[in-house]
Amino acid sequence: MAGEQEQGMENSCIYKNRNEPVEARIKDLISRMTVEEKIGQMTQIERVVATPSVVRKFFIGSVLSGGGSVLFEKALSSDWVDMVDGYQKAVLETPLGIPIIYGINAVHGNNNVYGATIFPHNIGLGATRDADLAYKIGVATALEVRASGVHYDFSPCVAVAGDPRWGRTYESYSEDVDIVRKMTSIVSGLQGQPPKGHPNGYPFVTGRNKVAACAKHFVGDGGTHKGINEGNTLTSYEDLEKIHTAPYLDCISQGVCTVMASYSSWNGDKMHSHKFLPTQVLKDKLGFKGFVISDWEALEGLSDPYGSNYRASISSAINAGVDMIMVPFKYEVFLADLMSLVESGEIPMARVDDAVERILRVKFVAGLFEYPMADRSLLDTVGCKLHKELAREAVRKSLVLLKNGKDPKKPLLPLDRILERFLLPELMLMILDISVEGGQLLGLGPVAEPPLVCAYYWQLCSFRKHFSSMLAGTTILDAVKEAVGDKTEVVFEQNPSPDTFAGQDISYAIVAVGEPPYVEGGGDDPNLIIPFRGSEIISSVAERVPILAILISGRP
């Protein structure tokens, strides 16, 4: 009898009936929600402050892991599943049982999770010009993200990088808007391919092996004056539309679920409080029906000094059209201020309802009400052979040959022929000054210890003191040693000098130079000089032996 009563209650709730249209389910659920439940849905908090009791008590709509926010050393996807499912069980115990949507920065593979497959950053993928490859990477990433219990990927970045001095250039596919638009095929890889006739702008996710994607950062983040991160994009609306808004058209046509607002400004007005662009352009003109999410602690940056008028910043952002706020830590202050703003009418209830409708639309489309818990059968996909082969293909296709010898008639490469020609016991290959451009490990600057780069995974693995347990891969030095075999002596020196060559019969040198690890504003570079004496080392070695110079860089 109890089971029949429960089934009857389920049938009486339209929002619980998977056979009902999504919009009908949204309308029914909204009608049942309290103000507390609505503003909870608009709140995204970081996992370090999230507990099952917190998400249940405050009806939290979303939890996230910021860049580098990992559970513990060598935490596997199965450990992440346990955590996410723990939050999910807690919110399912609330009266309405609205599931959370968990977000993560899986921007080049599920790069926060130990053992996941790592792919090139966007600048590398853009160099491939291969839209089908980007789609396949989206498919693989979605599988490995869902295998960790996570439903939402803050990817792709569709910025058009207009100035290589910008520290986030590596997050952009290209300075060419047509290439960026082409590579948005990754959205369909992450979410699934919408069927013919799917309404433009309506969010789309095909099933439990796909994730909600996030086009970012809206809009103009790659076009700031002098390439200053979070700076000011000085341009006309026509150029903003033609260059920086154009990739969002492609994302929207593929049913992208969410759009993240940019830290940057347009002609002096910050995007997070710019009602014209997120509301009148993105939502009204372009027909985007998913939800707009803020960036990390972006609301604090709306006031001067930083964080000085949080309540006003909340009002400004939400009234401008931001639907979900990535708080991420001080959720109690945020919720109290938001409630006060709603009660006073400074944020209209209609704006709250619009935001919640958009958030619920994505959750319904993503199937979270039907399948809130993780599918552990996907765990075997993490770091599988198929995905690693795809990563190797992406790295190979991402390599850009700048120059092949002084004489076009006598090319220096391919290297395997050189090694075959010089593969003698007396040959010594020299690998010098190996370094790497940054991964999604927020807030960690250049590393002084011997830098290494993963030849296959294109992911930082030189943070030995802090993150050696997180990442695995092959260094250039290791790869060369393996390629040449035991018959070739490989000499390594990080900072060569004239003494390096004294008394040694070195036939050939591979010099690897490049940028230190960086992220976001830490990578802004007004000078664009190869660090660690890179140019000087190349010139010095090239005066003595034939040289192959490898440049590892997050910008052209």
Side-chain angles (χ1 to χ4, degrees):
M1 178 65 73
E4 292 177 3
Q5 288 178 339
E6 187 175 325
Q7 184 66 42
M9 289 177 63
E10 183 119 343
N11 291 337
S12 68
C13 295
I14 293 174
Y15 82 91
K16 291 185 177 181
N17 188 344
R18 70 180 69 189
N19 297 318
E20 292 285 347
V22 168
E23 294 304 307
R25 298 176 76 182
I26 295 170
K27 184 178 180 181
D28 178 61
L29 181 50
I30 285 276
S31 71
R32 300 171 186 271
M33 295 175 71
T34 65
V35 178
E36 289 83 1
E37 288 168 327
K38 290 177 180 179
I39 66 174
Q41 285 301 301
M42 298 170 67
T43 308
Q44 185 181 66
I45 65 176
E46 226 282 343
R47 62 156 199 91
V48 299
V49 296
T51 64
S53 60
V54 164
V55 297
R56 181 172 54 243
K57 177 182 178 181
F58 294 101
F59 311 105
I60 298 299
S62 183
V63 180
L64 84 150
S65 290
S69 177
V70 298
L71 308 186
F72 52 82
E73 191 172 292
K74 293 190 177 180
L76 300 173
S77 293
S78 56
D79 299 309
W80 286 78
V81 167
D82 293 338
M83 177 189 67
V84 178
D85 277 0
Y87 294 136
Q88 205 70 289
K89 289 174 184 176
V91 295
L92 294 178
E93 292 172 357
T94 59
L96 295 174
I98 303 173
I100 64 159
I101 185 167
Y102 197 105
I104 198 168
N105 279 292
V107 292
H108 56 132
N110 199 12
N111 47 280
N112 267 358
V113 177
Y114 182 77
T117 311
I118 303 300
F119 297 96
H121 277 297
N122 284 358
I123 191 172
L125 295 184
T128 72
R129 308 294 199 272
D130 192 335
D132 184 57
L133 178 65
Y135 171 83
K136 291 176 181 177
I137 288 172
V139 172
T141 300
L143 279 169
E144 297 201 13
V145 169
R146 285 309 293 261
S148 66
V150 174
H151 331 97
Y152 179 18
D153 183 5
F154 304 125
S155 175
C157 176
V158 293
V160 180
D163 192 318
R165 292 174 292 184
W166 184 38
R168 302 183 77 156
T169 296
Y170 69 90
E171 295 186 42
S172 171
Y173 291 110
S174 179
E175 63 184 358
D176 184 329
V177 64
D178 291 332
I179 293 173
V180 176
R181 297 189 71 171
K182 181 179 181 180
M183 302 305 284
T184 62
S185 57
I186 195 171
V187 171
S188 289
L190 291 166
Q191 297 190 159
Q193 186 76 47
K196 188 175 182 180
H198 182 77
N200 185 64
Y202 202 86
F204 180 81
V205 181
T206 54
R208 298 180 71 186
N209 60 351
K210 298 294 181 182
V211 294
C214 179
K216 63 183 188 183
H217 307 84
F218 192 82
V219 62
D221 51 335
T224 58
H225 181 56
K226 295 184 179 180
I228 297 172
N229 189 52
E230 302 179 21
N232 191 16
T233 301
L234 301 171
T235 189
S236 66
Y237 175 73
E238 289 72 22
D239 281 346
L240 188 77
E241 187 176 50
K242 181 174 67 175
I243 299 170
H244 300 287
T245 308
Y248 289 89
L249 299 174
D250 303 276
C251 295
I252 290 169
S253 70
Q254 294 174 73
V256 71
C257 287
T258 74
V259 170
M260 185 180 291
S262 177
Y263 286 124
S264 60
S265 303
W266 176 47
N267 295 333
D269 295 319
K270 288 186 176 291
M271 287 303 312
H272 275 81
S273 56
H274 203 301
K275 186 172 184 178
F276 171 67
L277 289 170
T279 296
Q280 294 174 241
V281 174
L282 178 63
K283 293 180 178 179
D284 298 341
K285 182 179 179 180
L286 303 184
F288 175 63
K289 295 295 190 295
F291 68 81
V292 175
I293 187 169
S294 80
D295 209 333
W296 179 276
E297 289 187 339
L299 271 59
E300 280 87 336
L302 294 180
S303 53
D304 188 17
Y306 182 87
S308 58
N309 197 341
Y310 193 52
R311 188 177 187 276
S313 297
I314 294 171
S315 176
S316 180
I318 292 176
N319 282 327
V322 181
D323 304 305
M324 180 180 283
I325 306 300
M326 191 184 293
V327 176
F329 300 117
K330 53 183 186 181
Y331 58 90
E332 291 187 84
V333 175
F334 170 77
L335 287 166
D337 284 346
L338 179 51
M339 177 62 77
S340 172
L341 288 162
V342 174
E343 290 176 340
S344 68
E346 294 170 76
I347 295 179
M349 184 54 69
R351 173 77 269 270
V352 172
D353 285 345
D354 174 60
V356 176
E357 285 172 9
R358 291 171 174 274
I359 293 164
L360 294 178
R361 183 174 294 124
V362 170
K363 290 185 176 185
F364 278 120
V365 165
L368 295 182
F369 282 83
E370 283 68 55
Y371 303 104
M373 312 307 287
D375 180 358
R376 293 174 186 262
S377 70
L378 297 177
L379 287 170
D380 289 342
T381 67
V382 178
C384 67
K385 182 179 179 181
L386 183 65
H387 292 175
K388 287 182 179 179
E389 287 300 325
L390 182 64
R392 291 184 175 100
E393 177 188 353
V395 171
R396 292 183 186 114
K397 289 183 175 180
S398 75
L399 301 178
V400 178
L401 180 62
L402 300 178
K403 186 178 181 181
N404 196 0
K406 295 181 180 180
D407 185 351
K409 296 180 180 179
K410 297 179 180 179
L412 189 65
L413 295 176
L415 182 59
D416 59 350
R417 293 181 186 173
I418 294 172
L419 294 177
E420 194 173 71
R421 175 183 170 190
F422 291 106
L423 197 54
L424 303 170
E426 63 269 19
L427 172 65
M428 299 180 184
L429 291 178
M430 183 175 292
I431 314 299
L432 306 173
D433 195 34
I434 297 175
S435 56
V436 68
E437 150 272 311
Q440 282 295 312
L441 303 173
L442 301 180
L444 301 174
V447 176
E449 62 181 313
L452 305 170
V453 63
C454 300
Y456 289 156
Y457 301 100
W458 206 258
Q459 164 67 323
L460 179 67
C461 60
S462 59
F463 289 95
R464 283 185 168 176
K465 293 178 182 177
H466 303 288
F467 292 101
S468 61
S469 65
M470 285 176 54
L471 307 168
T474 305
T475 69
I476 292 177
L477 179 60
D478 291 339
V480 170
K481 287 180 177 179
E482 183 179 348
V484 300
D486 296 336
K487 293 183 179 180
T488 302
E489 182 181 0
V490 178
V491 178
F492 169 71
E493 188 165 334
Q494 187 173 351
N495 294 296
S497 66
D499 293 340
T500 302
F501 297 88
Q504 298 195 71
D505 184 18
I506 296 175
S507 305
Y508 188 80
I510 299 175
V511 180
V513 300
E515 297 188 282
Y518 59 77
V519 292
E520 303 188 3
D524 285 358
D525 184 354
N527 300 314
L528 298 181
I529 296 170
I530 301 174
F532 307 125
R533 300 172 43 245
S535 297
E536 179 185 333
I537 291 172
I538 289 173
S539 298
S540 174
V541 176
E543 290 175 356
R544 293 171 169 82
V545 292
I547 176 176
L548 167 64
I550 302 173
L551 177 63
I552 308 295
S553 173
R555 62 191 98 225

